[in-house]
């Protein structure tokens, strides 16, 4: 049976909002009716590109069109205000990650979505990567995880690199390690007068002994997105920077007839097949009660809590050093 159409809007017509709009336009189960952006150039582009109505504010949109669901892809510092307004108006929302800048705000939104009976999904797109889903199936008890997410892109200014980039890897790691966090340490720095950290390194120790190390930078000369997950009998190395593929190498010790161990390496190339499309299809399916959530609001809160804990420690830390690039 054909899925019913959902009338959707996208709030924020910047880089991410345009990706959302392109996907919604191509989905048979959605109809993109509106985009909101205070920037007139962004509105002109959106109207021409997607043929939808455009508005300079959420208020203007709510008074003019009937919208059932919306992606919130405005700057992170505005998520709480805009998401509150949308939920109050009875609209299901997909809020880009991170859901908010503070855990208290995220809790308020989660409570409001429950109160209003509306779906709130957070745009943790890595949950829709096949390679990440493979890790969740295969990894049982990691003892070491190393995540590197580096880019030369400083477009996002309203939050630092922990909420902007590292939170992706925090969310992956918390999807793999079920033990509580025992200890964290963090260092980082801001460059060229930036109000927020542009580079951050963190180490999380879990109560089961697993150590997760993170490096995130938006001032790196070259892009890198990689993940290593080691457990007793196998190690996974993922390279996410080969879009639309993820390269995976799995190392397993092989006892040899002679002395010592050989390492057997399995190499896989996984076609990721547009994770954003899968994320938005999942959002629409949840609105129709056709799918249980992939990742709950509790999972979102856990990731944000750890990220903001790192930020608080970084603010109080002496390990913030001067200019440089990583
Ligand atoms: N899931 C991912 O992989 C991913 C990747 C990039 C960005 N993001 C997230 O998406 C969000 C947007 O990031 P971006 O890269 O598109 O930023 P961007 O700066 O390219 O776009 C933000 C847009 O929001 C508009 N805007 C500002 N105030 C607004 C308001 N009050 N109402 C509506 N729109 C408003 C801006 O004019 C701009 O066009 C951020 O929260 C970011 O963390 C997620």
């Amino acid at each position: 049976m054909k899925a019913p159409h959902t009338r959707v809007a996208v709030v924020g017509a910047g880089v991410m909002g345009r990706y959302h709009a392109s996907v919604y336009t191509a989905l048979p189960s959605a109809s993109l009716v509106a985009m909101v952006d205070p920037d007139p150039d962004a509105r002109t582009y959106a109207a021409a590109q997607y043929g939808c109505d455009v508005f300079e504010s959420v208020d203007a949109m709510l008074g003019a069109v009937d919208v059932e669901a919306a992606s919130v892809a405005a700057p992170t510092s505005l998520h709480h205000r805009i998401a509150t307004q949308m939920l109050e108006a009875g609209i299901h929302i997909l809020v880009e990650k991170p859901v908010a800048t503070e855990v208290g705000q995220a809790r308020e939104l989660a409570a409001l979505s429950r109160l209003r009976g509306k779906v709130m999904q957070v745009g943790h797109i890595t949950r829709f990567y096949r390679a990440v889903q493979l890790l969740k199936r295969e990894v049982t008890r990691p003892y070491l995880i190393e995540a590197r997410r580096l880019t030369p892109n400083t477009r996002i200014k309203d939050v630092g690199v922990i909420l902007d980039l590292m939170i992706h890897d925090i969310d992956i790691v918390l999807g793999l390690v079920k033990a509580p966090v025992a200890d964290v340490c963090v260092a980082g720095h801001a460059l060229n007068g930036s109000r927020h950290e542009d580079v951050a390194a963190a180490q999380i120790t879990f109560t089961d002994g697993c150590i997760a190390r993170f490096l995130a930078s938006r001032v790196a000369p070259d892009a890198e997105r990689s993940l290593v997950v080691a457990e007793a009998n196998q190690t996974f190395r993922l390279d996410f920077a080969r879009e639309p593929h993820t390269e995976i190498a799995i190392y397993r010790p092989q006892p040899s007839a002679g002395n010592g161990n050989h390492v057997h390496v399995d190499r896989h190339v996984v076609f990721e097949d547009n994770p954003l499309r899968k994320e938005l299809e999942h959002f629409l399916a949840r609105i129709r009660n056709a799918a249980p959530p992939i990742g709950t609001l509790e999972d979102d809160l856990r990731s944000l809590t750890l990220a903001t804990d790192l930020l608080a420690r970084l603010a109080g830390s002496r390990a913030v050093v001067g200019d440089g690039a990583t």
Side-chain angles (χ1 to χ4, degrees), residues 10-20 36-39 42 55-58 72-79 81-82 95-98 123-126 129 149 155-159 163-165 168 276 279:
V10 175
V11 180
V15 171
M16 209 55 200
R18 290 177 196 185
Y19 284 135
H20 283 240
V36 177
D37 203 299
D39 176 353
F55 300 93
E56 65 177 339
S57 69
V58 170
V72 178
T76 298
S77 47
L78 302 177
H79 285 185
R81 179 165 63 74
I82 294 172
V95 187
E96 262 306 341
K97 51 49 59 182
H124 282 298
I125 195 166
T126 60
Y129 276 64
R149 199 169 283 260
R155 187 181 72 254
I156 303 256
K157 304 265 189 247
D158 63 330
V159 297
L163 286 181
D164 181 10
L165 297 181
H168 285 296
L276 181 62
E279 180 185 282

Side-chain angles (χ1 to χ4, degrees), residues 186-268:
V186 58
H189 61 231
L191 289 168
N192 303 328
S194 169
R195 285 186 299 126
H196 305 282
E197 79 289 348
D198 294 304
V199 181
Q203 178 165 307
I204 318 282
T205 308
F206 293 88
T207 55
D208 66 356
C210 178
I211 290 174
R213 294 191 190 133
F214 303 84
L215 179 63
S217 170
R218 55 189 179 193
V219 287
D222 299 304
E224 180 181 341
R225 278 185 293 146
S226 63
L227 183 70
V228 175
V229 181
E231 50 186 359
N233 57 347
Q234 54 188 356
T235 296
F236 295 82
R237 287 181 179 271
L238 277 64
D239 184 351
F240 294 107
R242 312 274 171 193
E243 281 180 307
H245 299 94
T246 301
E247 292 183 0
I248 307 177
I250 308 173
Y251 300 69
R252 294 191 180 97
Q254 296 272 305
S256 69
N259 290 335
N261 284 337
H262 291 303
V263 174
H264 179 80
V265 185
D266 275 328
R267 295 187 193 278
H268 306 268

